[in-house]
Amino acid sequence: MGKRHRETDPIQKARGGTTGNKNAAKVKNDCDNITIVPPSGERGTSTDYTLKRLARDNHDDLLDAIEAGELSVNQAAIRAGYRKKLSHAEKCVAEFRKAENRLEPLRVIVAELDTHEVEVLKDWLSTPTMN
């Protein structure tokens, strides 16, 4: 990873270092996937907030690893306990919930099932709690 300029480095900024010319900075709407983040990035899963929180909570080892390119900000947040790592199934369910046409992914999944799995699925769908 190349050297960063101290004035524009988000890690140095999170640690309380200089932040450079704020008037020259382009406006960036760093939204996260949990809440609408105010422009100041005061909460949520925004990169700026996570870096500030890591600095505030004295996770210098994680900030050093981010700066060295060994960890992403998200990986550091997981290691710090701020976020949990989603399982493959949880990721699939989250993507399914966002799908515009949810029947298409279901069609693809059902086409991949073997005979026994289709029978189990039919049984699940026929139980009163599934309707």
Side-chain angles (χ1 to χ4, degrees):
M1 180 174 213
K3 266 193 162 180
R4 299 177 188 207
H5 294 294
R6 187 170 180 85
E7 291 116 18
T8 58
D9 183 4
I11 295 171
Q12 289 300 326
K13 182 178 175 184
R15 288 180 170 166
T18 57
T19 58
N21 183 348
K22 291 180 183 177
N23 295 327
K26 292 184 178 178
V27 175
K28 179 182 174 193
N29 185 7
D30 188 15
C31 290
D32 61 29
N33 63 349
I34 294 176
T35 186
I36 296 173
V37 177
S40 62
E42 295 170 353
R43 60 186 211 178
T45 58
S46 71
T47 298
D48 286 343
Y49 174 72
T50 303
L51 290 171
K52 287 178 189 175
R53 189 171 174 195
L54 288 167
R56 180 194 72 200
D57 295 345
N58 297 316
H59 288 291
D60 292 331
D61 56 331
L62 295 175
L63 290 168
D64 290 340
I66 293 167
E67 194 168 29
E70 298 166 1
L71 287 177
S72 69
V73 175
N74 186 55
Q75 290 168 329
I78 291 167
R79 287 195 184 176
Y82 301 157
R83 302 178 192 154
K84 73 173 195 166
K85 184 172 182 172
L86 296 178
S87 70
H88 184 66
E90 289 170 320
K91 288 178 189 176
C92 288
V93 169
E95 288 302 314
F96 176 75
R97 286 184 176 139
K98 291 190 276 184
E100 207 170 288
N101 177 3
R102 292 171 27 146
L103 293 175
E104 181 58 23
L106 282 176
R107 185 189 65 75
V108 173
I109 291 168
V110 171
E112 293 291 321
L113 298 177
D114 64 29
T115 308
H116 172 71
E117 292 166 330
V118 170
E119 292 304 315
V120 170
L121 181 59
K122 285 179 183 177
D123 186 46
W124 288 348
L125 293 172
S126 68
T127 60
T129 57
M130 295 296 288
N131 294 330

